Amino acid sequence: MTETQLLQLLMESPKSPLQPPTYGNLITVLSIDGGGIRGIIPATIIAFLEAEIQKLDGEEARIADYFDVITGTSTGGLVTAMLTTPNDKNRPLFAAKDIKDFYLNHCPKIFPQDRCPFAPLTKLFKSLTGPTYDGKYLHRIIKEKLGDTRLHQTLTNVVIPTFDIKKLQPTIFSSYEVKQNPSTDALLSDICIATSAAPTYLPAHKFETKDSKGRVRQFDLIDGGVAANNPTLVAINEVTKEITRGSSDFFPIKPMDYGRFLVISLGTGAPKSEVKYDAIKAAKWGLLGWLTSESSTPLVDVFMQSSSDMVDFHTATVFKALHSEDSYLRIQDDTLVGNESSVDIATKKNLENLVRIGEKLLKKPVAKVNFETGLCEPSNQGTNEEALTRLAEVLSKEKRIRDMRSPHGKVASGPK
């Protein structure tokens, strides 16, 4: 049977799990930033990508079938879990198109809005004396949806950063690391609650795990965004560690050879430059000023944005140096104004507006950050929509090649 005939057979046969990268040409990574309710923006982008893949491989195709690792911080960690948690048929709990509705239905209850005239003062008082939101509804809905699923049970590899405030260091929940360190095999619900626990907004999360020998490990965690709001490099690092351990799932590559990676990195939006903070105002801020300014928290915004941009800068530079710019796609909108840039103003109007922003972002040109100006500037790669359509074809072909080469792929029992 020729390669063309084998590929045709693979296209017509039922879906199979993603075979390891060693049978393919690429290592595929999907990364999702943190950003509270703005997670609805990358959710809209992911829904488009999944729809494009389905045009090629059928309606049952899911994002988890095509990425070796999906990584997300904070709200991105929740999206990661929804895409990779198995249902009772061992398929993803959520189709990508359904995540938008999750945000529209549940965010107003996670971040309930006070509509009284003194709401801004009430919110300020809450942020000074404790978390603005108690997190009870968020905890309940996450536990209800994710159930008893643990880290090792996801349908593809996941990497979700958190930060341990007792140890003052990041704790990375990784499908790769859990094989070496079973004490990190926590419930996905606990991991998602922890990575979403943004300081001043939601309470820190404490939980324990117990290994097969009964040894207990305690976690005291907050939002992973304080360490890695854009988790792209964290995921690449986890893959690199797995390669250096000699895993048979990977073809031999040098630790820093990013040329074999295909990375899609999705931001959750950033304020337009004209409405960002300035030094004249900030020079007068004390603790109160850094904790509250209009509808946002400057200190949290600074941590999140600086983390995301530095990772984008490093990743883009490395891919460019390797002449592999087409293998790295960063989609981000830096034109948010007013309530759009908030992580918690979960009114129906604002949430629906964020959906429209995500849809419009698909039509915008692929952009690269100019780190001298801080602005996104159009590149020569067409629109984000066109770039995702091209990458859907690459992902589909990569999966079919792996199925063809793997003894565990779909053609293993097919015609000879």
Side-chain angles (χ1 to χ4, degrees):
M1 181 179 289
T2 67
E3 182 171 318
T4 300
Q5 289 172 321
L6 284 170
L7 289 174
Q8 182 64 33
L9 173 64
L10 290 168
M11 291 178 70
E12 294 172 352
S13 57
K15 292 288 113 190
S16 69
L18 183 62
Q19 300 301 309
T22 192
Y23 298 112
N25 301 320
L26 301 168
I27 300 169
T28 54
V29 180
L30 174 62
S31 176
I32 311 157
D33 284 14
I37 62 169
R38 300 200 312 263
I40 204 168
I41 296 175
T44 303
I45 306 297
I46 294 168
F48 175 82
L49 176 60
E50 187 169 273
E52 290 301 296
I53 293 173
Q54 289 171 343
K55 290 178 183 178
L56 301 168
D57 294 345
E59 293 183 1
E60 296 304 311
R62 295 288 183 268
I63 288 292
D65 299 329
Y66 295 84
F67 286 94
D68 294 304
V69 55
I70 302 177
T71 181
T73 298
S74 192
T75 194
L78 179 56
V79 173
T80 296
M82 289 193 283
L83 292 170
T84 60
T85 296
N87 62 17
D88 56 3
K89 296 180 181 178
N90 208 38
R91 296 295 291 147
L93 184 64
F94 282 77
K97 64 181 177 60
D98 297 327
I99 296 177
K100 176 185 71 175
D101 289 335
F102 177 90
Y103 274 81
L104 291 172
N105 293 333
H106 297 292
C107 280
K109 300 172 186 176
I110 295 170
F111 303 108
Q113 303 298 297
D114 187 346
R115 302 183 185 280
C116 79
F118 303 105
L121 288 176
T122 303
K123 187 174 182 179
L124 172 60
F125 180 75
K126 282 185 176 180
S127 67
L128 292 175
T129 59
T132 305
Y133 308 97
D134 62 23
K136 290 180 180 179
Y137 184 84
L138 174 66
H139 295 192
R140 181 172 68 79
I141 195 65
I142 288 179
K143 290 177 179 179
E144 177 185 306
K145 296 295 183 182
L146 303 183
D148 296 327
T149 305
R150 291 191 174 271
L151 178 61
H152 79 275
Q153 296 174 302
T154 55
L155 293 170
T156 191
N157 298 298
V158 301
V159 174
I160 301 177
T162 66
F163 190 85
D164 194 311
I165 56 173
K166 192 169 187 177
K167 297 178 179 178
L168 288 180
Q169 65 182 32
T171 296
I172 311 300
F173 290 93
S174 161
S175 299
Y176 302 111
E177 186 63 27
V178 76
K179 292 180 285 187
Q180 309 295 323
N181 187 357
S183 69
T184 63
D185 193 23
L187 291 169
L188 273 182
S189 58
D190 280 326
I191 296 171
C192 287
I193 291 169
T195 195
S196 301
T200 77
Y201 291 99
L202 290 162
H205 188 50
K206 186 185 189 79
F207 62 92
E208 296 178 343
T209 60
K210 185 181 293 186
D211 65 18
S212 59
K213 296 182 180 180
R215 290 174 296 200
V216 174
R217 178 174 177 180
Q218 180 177 295
F219 297 90
D220 298 81
L221 304 178
I222 61 171
D223 191 340
V226 302
N229 197 56
N230 176 345
T232 302
L233 285 181
V234 177
I236 291 175
N237 184 59
E238 287 297 303
V239 171
T240 302
K241 286 195 298 183
E242 190 73 358
I243 292 170
T244 56
R245 290 181 184 126
S247 171
S248 60
D249 284 349
F250 295 91
F251 34 72
I253 64 173
K254 296 178 181 179
M256 292 300 289
D257 185 5
Y258 287 15
R260 299 294 288 272
F261 283 86
L262 172 64
V263 178
I264 299 176
S265 175
L266 304 179
T268 56
K272 192 175 182 180
S273 60
E274 291 81 10
V275 297
K276 293 177 184 175
Y277 315 109
D278 63 63
I280 295 175
K281 291 181 180 178
K284 302 174 183 178
W285 289 346
L287 180 61
L288 187 62
W290 280 103
L291 288 177
T292 179
S293 175
E294 297 177 350
S295 62
S296 61
T297 304
L299 196 60
V300 175
D301 288 348
V302 168
F303 279 132
M304 291 172 59
Q305 200 60 42
S306 60
S307 169
S308 294
D309 284 351
M310 285 303 295
V311 170
D312 182 27
F313 174 74
H314 176 86
T315 310
T317 301
V318 171
F319 274 86
K320 184 175 182 180
L322 294 170
H323 307 289
S324 302
E325 290 179 273
D326 290 343
S327 296
Y328 173 62
L329 176 65
R330 172 71 171 170
I331 300 180
Q332 173 70 309
D333 190 323
D334 65 348
T335 64
L336 305 186
V337 295
N339 291 349
E340 298 170 358
S341 62
S342 168
V343 300
D344 68 327
I345 299 182
T347 62
K348 180 180 179 182
K349 179 181 178 181
N350 195 40
L351 289 168
E352 290 177 345
N353 193 37
L354 289 171
V355 172
R356 287 191 290 272
I357 288 170
E359 293 169 346
K360 290 178 181 177
L361 185 54
L362 287 167
K363 305 294 183 182
K364 291 183 178 181
V366 174
K368 305 292 184 183
V369 174
N370 181 325
F371 285 92
E372 292 184 5
T373 65
L375 301 177
C376 294
E377 299 177 350
S379 65
N380 298 315
Q381 296 173 279
T383 65
N384 290 315
E385 193 173 69
E386 291 167 342
L388 288 168
T389 298
R390 289 193 298 270
L391 290 178
E393 294 175 356
V394 173
L395 291 166
S396 175
K397 183 178 179 181
E398 173 71 11
K399 186 177 189 306
R400 285 184 270 126
I401 287 173
R402 294 189 194 184
D403 281 339
M404 181 178 66
R405 293 175 178 172
S406 170
H408 307 292
K410 290 182 292 191
V411 296
S413 60
K416 302 296 183 182

